[in-house]
Amino acid sequence: MEVSDIAVLVGTFGGLQGIVETVKWWRGRKVQIRRDVADVAAKEGENFRKQVDWLEKRVLDRDAKIDRLYAELRQEQAARLDEMHKRHAAELALAEAEVKKCNKRRCPDREPPSDY
């Protein structure tokens, strides 16, 4: 290879500046790889944080829904208990009326006699 051929090759690859850039790239390739890996890790971390935030929001929404359902359940249970108390009171009043009932036309001499 002659000097002119070497000069043509160096000129083709950007001259002296091309050689300097090639050396810079060669020396900085590991640093660039580390930067790329760090960028990918940062993006993965950001995606993970977004997913965690989304899941936390879903959990909070479901907790609120469960709280609403429990409140509605307790309200229904209270209404049923109230209805049961009213029915028991009515049954007691009916039983008391049954005991106080008079089997005759007039009640001065009651059958059965009562202490009421």
Side-chain angles (χ1 to χ4, degrees):
M1 210 183 245
E2 295 181 17
V3 175
S4 63
D5 292 337
I6 293 173
V8 168
L9 283 175
V10 168
T12 303
F13 291 119
L16 186 57
Q17 188 63 34
I19 294 171
V20 169
E21 291 299 321
T22 304
V23 169
K24 282 183 182 178
W25 171 80
W26 184 258
R27 291 185 69 204
R29 73 187 190 285
K30 292 181 182 177
V31 173
Q32 187 61 39
I33 289 171
R34 283 196 305 267
R35 285 181 187 158
D36 292 343
V37 168
D39 288 342
V40 168
K43 288 180 182 178
E44 285 177 350
E46 182 64 28
N47 286 339
F48 181 72
R49 282 188 293 279
K50 285 180 182 178
Q51 187 177 15
V52 167
D53 290 341
W54 179 76
L55 289 172
E56 285 178 350
K57 184 177 180 271
R58 263 184 88 187
V59 166
L60 290 175
D61 290 344
R62 286 187 178 179
D63 285 346
K65 183 178 180 180
I66 289 171
D67 290 342
R68 283 193 314 271
L69 289 173
Y70 271 122
E72 185 178 332
L73 174 67
R74 299 296 179 241
Q75 195 174 24
E76 287 295 321
Q77 287 175 340
R80 285 182 184 239
L81 280 174
D82 188 40
E83 184 65 28
M84 281 176 41
H85 289 301
K86 287 179 183 176
R87 286 178 188 248
H88 286 300
E91 286 176 6
L92 285 174
L94 182 63
E96 186 178 333
E98 187 68 32
V99 168
K100 291 181 179 180
K101 182 173 106 174
C102 180
N103 293 334
K104 286 183 136 188
R105 274 280 201 209
R106 290 181 232 137
C107 291
D109 48 342
R110 258 180 85 80
E111 278 185 21
S114 174
D115 293 335
Y116 294 112

